[in-house]
Amino acid sequence: MAFGAEELRVLRRALALALNPSPVSPEEVQACLRLAESLDEAMREGARLRAFLVADLARYRAALPGSAAGYLTLLEEALGAGYHPDPADLAALRTLRGNPAAAALLQDVRVRLAPGATRPAVPASRTHLLALPG
């Protein structure tokens, strides 16, 4: 997620107020509310994208082995969007092991799923702005 200059200014001010409370103008409160709404919308859009990718992935997986190239491309895209492969994906990758791209992707998935592998996670408390000053 990228922020524009105005969004960064609002975010910087909101963080400063959280650390050092002081009187807030109505304009600053409105700017914080708009930023929170924008962030929530971006998160909803990300969830919609992941849901679409997962549904598309299931369709391609059901059409294997004929859809192997499309399936592998979609699986890589879904993994990049934070999708964690389910057992059906792992089984599909195993059946495609003869395909070099599938073998490489299976190895990558195994590394991601290995015990102790670090996965970037956003705590629930950081998913949206719960309180605003003022």
Side-chain angles (χ1 to χ4, degrees):
M1 184 181 301
F3 291 104
E6 181 63 20
E7 293 165 322
L8 285 174
R9 184 193 65 73
V10 171
L11 184 59
R12 188 178 304 119
R13 178 69 176 136
L15 291 172
L17 286 169
L19 293 172
N20 188 15
S22 62
V24 181
S25 71
E27 293 82 22
E28 288 178 315
V29 170
Q30 288 304 311
C32 287
L33 287 170
R34 282 192 304 275
L35 179 61
E37 289 169 3
S38 295
L39 290 172
D40 287 343
E41 177 58 29
M43 291 183 62
R44 285 189 297 272
E45 186 60 31
R48 284 191 292 270
L49 173 62
R50 280 188 297 283
F52 172 79
L53 287 172
V54 170
D56 217 15
L57 191 61
R59 285 190 291 277
Y60 273 80
R61 187 174 52 238
L64 287 172
S67 63
Y71 172 74
L72 295 172
T73 300
L74 280 172
L75 182 56
E76 282 186 286
E77 189 176 343
L79 291 170
Y83 172 69
H84 298 288
D86 62 21
D89 292 311
L90 298 174
L93 285 173
R94 283 187 210 99
T95 64
L96 297 172
R97 271 191 290 233
N99 178 317
L105 192 53
L106 179 59
Q107 181 61 32
D108 181 49
V109 167
R110 284 181 177 156
V111 168
R112 288 177 189 232
L113 296 177
T118 58
R119 289 182 215 136
V122 177
S125 64
R126 301 282 192 253
T127 59
H128 60 281
L129 193 56
L130 296 176
L132 294 173

